[in-house]
Structure formats: C-alpha cells, structure tokens
Amino acid sequence: MSGNLAQYSVVDAPDRERFEIRDGDQVAGFTEYRRRGDLIAFIHTEVAPEYEGKGVASRLISSALDTARKEGLAVLPFCPFVLGYIAKHPDEYRDLVPRDLREHFGLAADG
C-alpha cells in the first residue's frame, strides 16, 4: 500500500448500494447511497483504518459525485463527509444539490 491515489479504483456496487474505492482486490472504503429516480442520497462513508489520512475518502467522494453528475442525478448529502466535501469544493459540486434544498444542508451561501 502506497500513497499513490492512481492505484485505487472507484466502482459503483449497486447491489450493495454503495460506491467502493479499491486497492487491488481490497475494499479500502465505501460511501453508501440510496437512489430514487433522479436522486441519489449519500448516507454514510467509511474508510478502513489503514487507509485513513491518505486522501482515499476524498478520491472516493469526488468520483462518486462525478458519476452522479454524469448520470444526471441530484445529490442529497446526508453523510457528513460528503456534505463537507461539497462545502469545501462548492464551485465543482454545489450545483448537484437541488437549489431548494441547499439551505437545508447549509450550502446556500453565495447563492
């Protein structure tokens, strides 16, 4: 295990309702979601202890959000980590959260 994020792959595992970030065959972390129509609600993110502090969760969330955008899904960031990631990268991701719900998630600043 090295610090090179390029070695990781992020895959959607719809049967488990989660995106997984993998280091080879090992699941290094995941973010659970629920999909309903054109909405995806992120509810929980977890990274294995040996992968914490290596940027794995951020890589996972950015890939999951990029996939949501590509699939035309509106994002509901109930998971605190996903919400925090969007709050730190508003120019890239805040638009994924429905405008009428941004204030609910504390993302309404700057419009």
Side-chain angles (χ1 to χ4, degrees):
M1 172 177 56
S2 75
N4 181 5
L5 287 176
Q7 77 189 36
Y8 300 106
S9 60
V10 176
V11 297
D12 188 1
D15 54 318
R16 291 189 288 282
E17 294 189 300
R18 67 189 198 177
F19 285 92
E20 298 176 346
I21 186 163
R22 297 179 181 165
D23 181 5
D25 291 334
Q26 179 163 345
V27 174
F30 59 86
T31 185
E32 294 178 351
Y33 63 78
R34 299 295 179 267
R35 282 185 69 163
R36 180 175 296 156
D38 290 337
L39 289 175
I40 185 166
F42 289 96
I43 56 173
H44 177 70
T45 301
E46 200 169 301
V47 171
E50 62 268 29
Y51 291 96
E52 290 177 358
K54 301 180 186 303
V56 171
S58 293
R59 164 78 189 278
L60 168 62
I61 299 310
S62 66
S63 293
L65 292 172
D66 289 344
T67 298
R69 180 183 307 285
K70 188 171 61 180
E71 295 181 9
L73 300 173
V75 171
L76 303 179
F78 293 109
C79 168
F81 190 88
V82 175
L83 177 58
Y85 190 87
I86 293 171
K88 287 179 189 158
H89 303 91
D91 293 343
E92 296 97 329
Y93 297 113
R94 186 176 55 206
D95 65 303
L96 293 173
V97 179
R99 186 177 300 279
D100 60 336
L101 295 176
R102 289 179 195 162
E103 188 171 342
H104 171 78
F105 289 108
L107 296 170
D110 305 324

